[in-house]
Amino acid sequence: VQLQASGGGLVQAGGSLRLSCTASGGTFSSYRMGWFRQAPGKEREFVAGINWSGNLRYYADSVKGRFTISRDNAKNTVYLQMNSLKPEDTAVYYCAASRGSTWSPASMHVWGKGTQVTVSS
């Protein structure tokens, strides 16, 4: 499976963005999907994850209550709705797919190219 992320951009603090990640070339519904981010000088970190059916969702503490992950298996797409954005959310955001059981970056099998999110204060 190949992944293509989109939807990043520049937004003021308190604003919203919705990221999309579309899969091709594989059985999208068989994968757990996750969003990760990497800020300059920092390690890549888990942001949000969703199981194959969409009924289980997982979030990093730093984004709980502000970000929502969802998926549409008919469209082979996973979304990340980001509200109440903060300057510390600035990073390159990546989507990733896994058939594993954890959300560490090392456990993800397929990565998309990142999309830049910049939040100005």
Side-chain angles (χ1 to χ4, degrees), residues 54-70:
N55 67 326
L56 295 175
R57 307 178 187 193
Y58 310 84
Y59 297 97
D61 288 343
S62 58
V63 307
K64 278 181 183 176
R66 301 188 298 121
F67 290 11
T68 302
I69 188 171
S70 62

Side-chain angles (χ1 to χ4, degrees), residues 12-112:
Q12 288 188 332
S16 299
L17 282 174
R18 187 175 83 154
L19 305 183
S20 300
C21 175
T22 300
S24 61
T27 308
F28 176 74
S29 60
S30 69
Y31 288 92
R32 306 165 88 225
M33 297 299 298
W35 285 97
F36 295 75
R37 66 187 181 187
Q38 188 166 18
K42 294 188 177 181
E43 294 186 352
R44 192 169 298 188
E45 64 175 1
F46 170 75
V47 174
I50 191 166
N51 73 331
W52 69 273
S53 67
N55 67 326
L56 295 175
R57 307 178 187 193
Y58 310 84
Y59 297 97
D61 288 343
S62 58
V63 307
K64 278 181 183 176
R66 301 188 298 121
F67 290 11
T68 302
I69 188 171
S70 62
R71 69 189 295 164
D72 184 338
N73 286 342
K75 295 182 178 179
N76 287 352
T77 301
V78 62
Y79 304 97
L80 185 67
Q81 178 66 44
M82 305 185 294
N83 298 329
S84 302
L85 282 161
K86 304 175 180 179
E88 51 264 43
D89 294 318
T90 295
V92 177
Y93 284 70
Y94 299 88
C95 61
S98 172
R99 290 197 173 108
S101 59
T102 67
W103 293 110
S104 68
S107 70
M108 306 309 287
H109 298 140
V110 183
W111 290 89

